[in-house]
Amino acid sequence: MTKPTTTAGLSLLACGVATAAFAETINFDADRIGALPAAWTAGVTGRGAFHWAVEADASAPSAPNVLKQSGRGDFPWCVKRDVAIADGYVEVKFKPLAGTDDQAGGVVWRWKDGDNYYVARANALENNVSLYYTQSGRRITLKYVDAPVAKGQWHVLRVEFAGSRIAVALDGKRYIELEDTHIGGAGAVGVWTKADSVTVFDDFSYGGAGK
């Protein structure tokens, strides 16, 4: 079930996230070049391949390293496997580099496995922000909103979630606010791309009420 969330409800959501019991930021600078970050796992929902790897990038917001996805698959994902959050936030800085079909960067939360999770993403080819849930390997749209997503520039994508409430912000502006009950309970958090998107990520942060 999906329905609009009141402004008051989102204000409470923001307060709840601000008092999270734990928070962590990962900048990939201690990870080995050419490999996955420590304690992360990667895959693709649907068909195709993925290629996630830590690379050096002089433009990184916290240089020198970023996490890059350069494979081609339906929905490549990379998650921190030792985290389980039911209510909290996830945020990442991302830069879309290339892609003919898509130039997308996203975050996932309440990730149970490669076929079941929430995802919010921004797309530089479409200039929009969108929210989905993925269930049994099918990605179902909850909402699209037009938003400026410049190619080749760093952006900040943030999602706050508590119970059924979800809020999605890009570059400090909140674009999506709604309630949805399709995927509950704790799950992992991570990053996501689509199709032939070549995207880099840095300063991945998350927090919640408990692990």
Side-chain angles (χ1 to χ4, degrees):
M1 178 180 179
T2 302
K3 60 182 179 179
T5 298
T6 65
T7 301
L10 283 165
S11 177
L12 290 173
L13 173 60
C15 291
V17 171
T19 58
F22 73 93
E24 183 176 2
T25 298
I26 300 168
N27 57 25
F28 310 111
D29 295 338
D31 293 294
R32 183 166 61 89
I33 298 294
L36 283 176
W40 289 60
T41 188
V44 60
T45 304
R47 295 176 296 180
F50 61 90
H51 186 258
W52 294 93
V54 175
E55 293 192 3
D57 186 334
S59 77
S62 57
N65 293 349
V66 297
L67 176 61
K68 182 177 182 179
Q69 205 296 121
S70 56
R72 180 175 184 132
D74 288 345
F75 308 114
W77 47 262
C78 190
V79 301
K80 197 168 190 305
R81 62 176 181 264
D82 59 353
V83 173
I85 300 173
D87 300 323
Y89 77 92
V90 60
E91 178 180 298
V92 74
K93 296 174 184 174
F94 75 96
K95 180 168 70 170
L97 297 179
T100 301
D101 297 332
D102 280 277
Q103 293 188 23
V107 293
V108 302
W109 67 100
R110 293 185 185 161
W111 184 95
K112 316 297 185 180
D113 55 41
D115 289 332
N116 297 277
Y117 53 86
Y118 279 111
V119 56
R121 69 100 177 104
N123 193 316
L125 291 188
E126 299 176 3
N127 278 306
N128 61 25
V129 174
S130 54
L131 172 64
Y132 313 88
Y133 69 93
T134 299
Q135 200 164 52
S136 300
R138 294 179 59 243
R139 189 189 65 158
I140 296 97
T141 303
L142 291 172
K143 191 168 185 178
Y144 276 90
V145 178
D146 291 337
V149 188
K151 303 174 184 177
Q153 295 185 23
W154 286 97
H155 301 276
V156 180
L157 182 64
R158 179 183 176 92
V159 177
E160 300 173 3
F161 48 97
S164 62
R165 295 167 293 167
I166 303 171
V168 183
L170 177 69
D171 295 330
K173 180 178 179 179
R174 187 169 286 180
Y175 285 94
I176 297 174
E177 307 174 354
L178 56 75
E179 292 189 9
D180 185 79
T181 59
H182 283 95
I183 301 177
V189 293
V191 291
W192 178 100
T193 67
K194 180 174 181 282
D196 63 343
S197 302
V198 179
T199 308
V200 291
F201 299 86
D202 198 11
D203 294 343
F204 177 82
S205 63
Y206 61 90
K211 294 187 178 181

